[in-house]
Amino acid sequence: MSKQPLKIMLIDDENIVGKRLKPALEKTGDIVETFEEGEKALARFDETPFDIVVTDIRMENIDGIEILEQVLAKSGRTKVIIITGYATVEIAREALSKGAFDFIAKPFKPADLRGIIERASKELRSGFLHTT
Amino acid sequence: MDMHITDIKNPEINHENDPENMSLHERPSISIRAKVAISFSLFFILSFTVTGWSYWILTKLETKIDFLEIADNYMAEIQQARRFEKNYLLYSTDLEEALEHLKTADAILKQKNEQIEKILEKEHFKTMVTYMSKYHNQLVLLRSAKNDKEKELIVPMLRQFGSQMVSFAGEFVEKEQISAKRMFLLAKRVPLYFMSVLFVLMSFVLMFLARQLLLTLNRFMEYTKRIGEGDFSPILPARKYKDEFTKLAEAFNHMIKELDHKHNVLLESHKLRAIGTLVAGVAHELNNPLNNTLLTASMLTEDFHTLSEEEKMEMVNDVINETERAQRVVKNLLDFAREGETAIAPLEIGKIVEDSTRLVVNQVKFAKVNLELNCETNLPRIHGDEQKLKQVFVNLILNAVDVLTPGGQIRIHVQKDQTPGYVLVTVKDNGPGIPEHIQGRIFDPFFTTKAQSKGTGLGLSVSQGIIKKLGGYIHLTSNPDKGTIFTVSLPTTESASEIMSK
Ligand SMILES: Nc1ncnc2c1ncn2[C@@H]1O[C@H](COP(=O)(O)OP(=O)(O)OP(=O)(O)O)[C@@H](O)[C@H]1O
Ligand SMILES: [Mg+2]
């Protein structure tokens, strides 16, 4: 496959989430970086933009909605996927209205997230085609 | 009054046989009614005696005055008789007039003999009559005397009897006058004595009854205050006997029992609400270990054949740990939610507070506030009911969380109280504080400043009830700039554990 690998950023303060999802998402040949703190993730984003950001919504200092806003402010084409602790319509609506690509509720299987990322990457690639 | 008493005796509201009233009932009975009746009878007897006595003395005085009047007339007659006797002897005037006066005097004695006898008594009356008749005889003799010589023989006897007659009567009159005067004086003074005795008696009765009534009323006022503050222990006897107030105390005890029951119902329902609040947080808290387990187990099946033994082992361990984590979360909530029978046991206060903070950890996290727990080590144990104490601390922390904006601080300190035998838990926030004008009301049931769906206003009232029941207190220090501090003080089981360790 000559597909260019996507750069994926994963933020969750639960250490196991990153530990398990990194190999799961890398299977498609993409590059995955994991973070447990929102600040560090945003700092890294400043160094190099990512195509896809997957973030937990509830975290100690900076929460998922804030990350969504800052990431979109930095890079409009990045797809942001929100992980919610428990599915509530309001949170989902808020995330979507603020420009999130989609959301996924805990607990989920790696395959579920992979499905969403696949859709996101398709959109990104079709976007590439249009722009180039 | 009567209506009221029959009301109290109504068997439908008779609480004599309630177990909490046993001690009240096991006393001799001296009713207020009896006390009032005794005082009134005393008054009546006293007034009756004094009135009767006054009547008697006035009647006596009346006879005395009558007598004095008669005696006066009598005296005048016999003195007149003697004057005529003298005139006869000196100027040989007519003796008939002397006899005439003596006759009148005799008539007076005969006519009023009853009245006179009453005062003079028979003997003296007889002497009086004798003296007079002797004098009369001498006068008659004198009248019939033919010459001076005969006259001279009679005169000394006549004079002797005459003066005896007058002085005897005079002495009596004088004596009676003195006695009448004395009686007057007494009659004048007795009302004054009566007044003073009445005054003393009245003051005594007033003081006695009023003091008793007021003291008892004050006692009952204290009971209502105590009950209002959530102390639902029954009233115990304060006096050695029972009266109408005992019925009131019995009714009070019945009311206290009912209130206690209602309070427990409120407590349960408020706990259910707290559980509702906590469950939202727990759902989130539970989803994390569940998610970790699901992710790990999924990857384990997916990559089962490519993973190294070591990696597999690590993943299986993660699954075990995360499942245990989920179990802890659920257990903590279940401990709190368990249908609670009050179980008083010696408890580590530090652990209770820590468990409480763990219960609310998600609410704290969602509100983005910081919670800091500072616990002195080696604190004495306290007596209490684990669940209910957790309910108190959960309420206090949730109240603080509710008023804090993101970044706010909650500091909890567990330490020894300055008063020996007590431990202190302070829950301090740096929120907006509580305005002074509502500080007095926040412990009232149903007082809330929150929207209807957010607060019932039962949290603090229920908490205060729980703490009071354990012999502790809960109070608040609030300052608009510095936030709010709730202080809970609880008695320790110190003495018991000290003896055990020796
Ligand atoms: N830490 C605090 N800071 C400021 N106000 C407080 C604090 N704790 C309590 N209050 C005030 O006291 C009131 C009564 O509190 P209480 O816990 O009894 O009821 P509530 O919190 O309103 O309702 P519920 O506990 O049922 O949710 C609150 O409505 C609030 O106005
Ligand atoms: Mg409350």
Side-chain angles (χ1 to χ4, degrees), chain A:
Chain A
M1 278 212 282
S2 60
K3 261 195 245 169
Q4 218 192 318
L6 291 171
K7 287 179 76 186
I8 301 174
M9 173 181 263
L10 178 69
I11 317 165
D12 195 314
D13 55 1
E14 291 279 324
N15 143 283
I16 290 182
V17 173
K19 201 161 71 181
R20 293 289 117 78
L21 283 180
K22 188 172 156 74
L25 300 182
E26 278 174 343
K27 280 187 181 168
T28 51
D30 298 323
I31 302 156
V32 178
E33 282 185 38
T34 63
F35 298 87
E36 285 171 37
E37 286 147 69
E39 297 93 328
K40 281 191 185 151
L42 287 174
R44 174 69 181 142
F45 199 93
D46 284 337
E47 291 168 17
T48 163
F50 285 75
D51 302 305
I52 294 174
V53 173
V54 181
T55 178
D56 192 13
I57 195 151
R58 287 261 198 233
M59 286 177 303
E60 287 288 325
N61 295 317
I62 301 177
D63 70 14
I65 298 285
E66 233 176 297
I67 291 193
L68 164 71
E69 285 168 344
Q70 290 203 28
V71 163
L72 288 184
K74 287 181 219 281
S75 147
R77 53 170 289 277
T78 302
K79 303 288 177 205
V80 180
I81 299 162
I82 302 285
I83 304 173
T84 60
Y86 53 102
T88 68
V89 190
E90 296 104 84
I91 294 173
R93 201 179 288 145
E94 190 191 347
L96 294 180
S97 74
K98 286 193 167 150
F101 175 73
D102 205 348
F103 66 93
I104 184 167
K106 280 184 183 177
F108 57 88
K109 288 183 183 169
D112 302 332
L113 183 60
R114 269 198 300 246
I116 295 174
I117 287 177
E118 206 173 311
R119 274 198 289 118
S121 64
K122 253 189 204 144
E123 234 174 72
L124 280 170
R125 293 212 163 91
S126 62
F128 271 136
L129 285 180
H130 284 296
T131 44
T132 45

Side-chain angles (χ1 to χ4, degrees), chain B residues 105-208:
Chain B
D106 190 43
I108 292 172
L109 283 194
K110 285 222 173 79
Q111 206 184 347
K112 312 272 178 177
N113 79 335
E114 248 176 65
Q115 275 139 298
I116 299 168
E117 232 177 17
K118 225 188 252 165
I119 291 187
L120 283 188
E121 288 156 27
K122 263 207 166 92
E123 257 171 78
H124 291 128
F125 185 63
K126 250 185 214 154
T127 329
M128 202 166 181
V129 174
T130 325
Y131 280 144
M132 203 175 67
S133 64
K134 274 182 182 165
Y135 178 70
H136 183 258
N137 290 345
Q138 295 303 320
L139 268 189
V140 173
L141 275 178
L142 187 64
R143 194 179 53 181
S144 55
K146 287 166 186 110
N147 50 33
D148 281 0
K149 216 175 172 193
E150 257 180 65
K151 272 185 203 168
E152 249 160 65
L153 268 175
I154 294 164
V155 166
M157 290 292 275
L158 177 76
R159 288 212 172 124
Q160 197 199 330
F161 288 135
S163 74
Q164 261 178 354
M165 176 187 69
V166 172
S167 65
F168 185 83
E171 254 170 54
F172 251 101
V173 168
E174 202 180 334
K175 232 164 65 196
E176 283 310 305
Q177 264 169 350
I178 290 170
S179 121
K181 241 180 224 161
R182 241 191 246 134
M183 262 187 191
F184 257 122
L185 212 64
L186 200 61
K188 217 163 79 182
R189 275 183 192 161
V190 159
L192 294 181
Y193 293 151
F194 177 60
M195 275 296 290
S196 346
V197 170
L198 205 66
F199 182 75
V200 171
L201 213 86
M202 283 253 278
S203 329
F204 179 73
V205 167
L206 244 156
M207 244 167 58
F208 181 71

